[in-house]
Amino acid sequence: MSAEPIVRVSNLHKWFGMLHVLSDVSLVVQPREVVCLIGRSGSGKSTLLRCINFLEEPSHGIIEVDGLKVEGGAKGKDHRQQIHDLRLKTGMVFQEFNLFPHMSVLENVIEGPVTVKGMDRDQAIALAEENLDSVGMLFKRDEYPLRLSGGQKQRVAIARALTMQPRVMLFDEPTSALDPELIGEVLNVMKKVAKDGMTMLVVTHEMGFARDVADRVLVMSDGEIIEDDKPNELFTNPKDQRTKALIERYRSGEG
């Protein structure tokens, strides 16, 4: 792996009013690495992910993605431009798909490259079709989101993020809004994206995915990273009692 991380988070803090949601969080992610974030609801996982691409403005700390360093809590035109540039390096997949209902699948996928990046429309269509094909959704290119299952919508959302040609993909609990029988199809697409060499940060409750696909698993509790290890080590020999309790809870849920 490259010695130079593609993502570096340094001393990140996030307050919502008096609530200290992230407390001095630091982490590095290497190129092509898949890192899963697990933890109880409210532990700060999604907030951390949303701070990395400034959907939430960090209160303090530095976010660095692919060499672009942005300081949390700064103000002004330069700061806004830095955030814009950083977002071009990150693709985001949400729980709730966030597709435009009035646009076809293809229109949804090309919207970002054409309007945000100024890509030639024909080039954007070719790239969109390639990514739709890779997630098994090219046959739905002219359908509207209303006609798609939840799993199909999420696969389109992944294709849309990939078509922006990001350096890093951020997944915020991408299967939590899906019916159980649809979860597998989205996880399979994510496995393929990982296998193709994409750097991925994934907030998930899917322990099987974390075990099988992640290079590292980070455990969060009360706004801090309490454990960071390889999946086999973490799931078989957790160091922190809170991690042990979390894994037991998942196991009893799975059983």
Side-chain angles (χ1 to χ4, degrees), residues 188-203:
N188 285 337
V189 166
M190 291 170 64
K191 286 175 187 174
K192 184 179 184 299
V193 173
K195 199 173 174 187
D196 289 344
M198 177 59 71
T199 306
M200 293 166 57
L201 268 159
V202 185
V203 171

Side-chain angles (χ1 to χ4, degrees), residues 159-226:
R160 177 180 60 182
L162 288 171
T163 302
M164 290 294 286
Q165 301 175 298
R167 302 283 288 123
V168 178
M169 284 279 280
L170 309 174
F171 294 84
D172 187 10
E173 296 191 29
T175 59
S176 64
L178 299 177
D179 294 331
E181 69 273 13
L182 301 175
I183 289 172
E185 67 181 72
V186 172
L187 293 178
N188 285 337
V189 166
M190 291 170 64
K191 286 175 187 174
K192 184 179 184 299
V193 173
K195 199 173 174 187
D196 289 344
M198 177 59 71
T199 306
M200 293 166 57
L201 268 159
V202 185
V203 171
T204 187
H205 292 291
E206 298 295 330
M207 293 301 104
F209 178 85
R211 264 196 310 264
D212 298 343
V213 182
D215 297 297
R216 280 161 52 217
V217 178
L218 309 186
V219 184
M220 293 196 69
S221 180
D222 299 320
E224 298 178 341
I225 295 170
I226 60 168

Side-chain angles (χ1 to χ4, degrees), residues 3 42 54 59 119 191 195 199 231 248:
F54 282 79
S59 306
M119 190 183 286
K191 286 175 187 174
K195 199 173 174 187
T199 306
E248 285 306 316

Side-chain angles (χ1 to χ4, degrees), residues 61-245:
I62 294 171
I63 306 289
E64 189 175 345
V65 178
D66 192 30
L68 179 62
K69 200 178 287 189
V70 187
E71 194 166 339
K75 298 277 189 289
K77 191 176 173 185
D78 287 349
H79 183 60
R80 287 195 299 275
Q81 183 62 47
Q82 284 182 324
I83 290 172
H84 172 80
D85 294 345
L86 181 139
R87 284 182 183 154
L88 290 178
K89 294 174 180 285
T90 60
M92 183 92 175
V93 177
F94 302 88
Q95 295 178 38
E96 296 291 345
F97 328 127
N98 292 359
L99 299 178
F100 296 114
H102 62 288
M103 290 182 176
S104 70
V105 162
L106 184 69
E107 289 167 335
N108 263 284
V109 176
I110 69 169
E111 176 69 13
V114 171
T115 61
V116 179
K117 292 179 84 172
M119 190 183 286
D120 173 76
R121 186 178 169 84
D122 288 342
Q123 185 189 349
I125 289 171
L127 194 56
E129 288 179 338
E130 184 184 317
N131 284 313
L132 284 168
D133 192 35
S134 79
V135 302
M137 287 301 295
L138 186 56
F139 75 112
K140 295 284 192 183
R141 72 192 285 283
D142 299 318
E143 290 282 9
Y144 285 79
L146 188 64
R147 303 280 299 272
L148 304 179
S149 70
Q152 289 174 332
K153 287 175 186 172
Q154 196 59 295
R155 283 150 65 194
V156 170
I158 293 170
R160 177 180 60 182
L162 288 171
T163 302
M164 290 294 286
Q165 301 175 298
R167 302 283 288 123
V168 178
M169 284 279 280
L170 309 174
F171 294 84
D172 187 10
E173 296 191 29
T175 59
S176 64
L178 299 177
D179 294 331
E181 69 273 13
L182 301 175
I183 289 172
E185 67 181 72
V186 172
L187 293 178
N188 285 337
V189 166
M190 291 170 64
K191 286 175 187 174
K192 184 179 184 299
V193 173
K195 199 173 174 187
D196 289 344
M198 177 59 71
T199 306
M200 293 166 57
L201 268 159
V202 185
V203 171
T204 187
H205 292 291
E206 298 295 330
M207 293 301 104
F209 178 85
R211 264 196 310 264
D212 298 343
V213 182
D215 297 297
R216 280 161 52 217
V217 178
L218 309 186
V219 184
M220 293 196 69
S221 180
D222 299 320
E224 298 178 341
I225 295 170
I226 60 168
E227 204 148 345
D228 175 351
D229 215 333
K230 295 190 183 312
N232 280 349
E233 185 64 23
L234 188 125
F235 286 111
T236 57
N237 187 29
K239 311 285 190 295
D240 192 289
Q241 281 302 126
R242 290 166 291 179
T243 306
K244 286 178 184 170

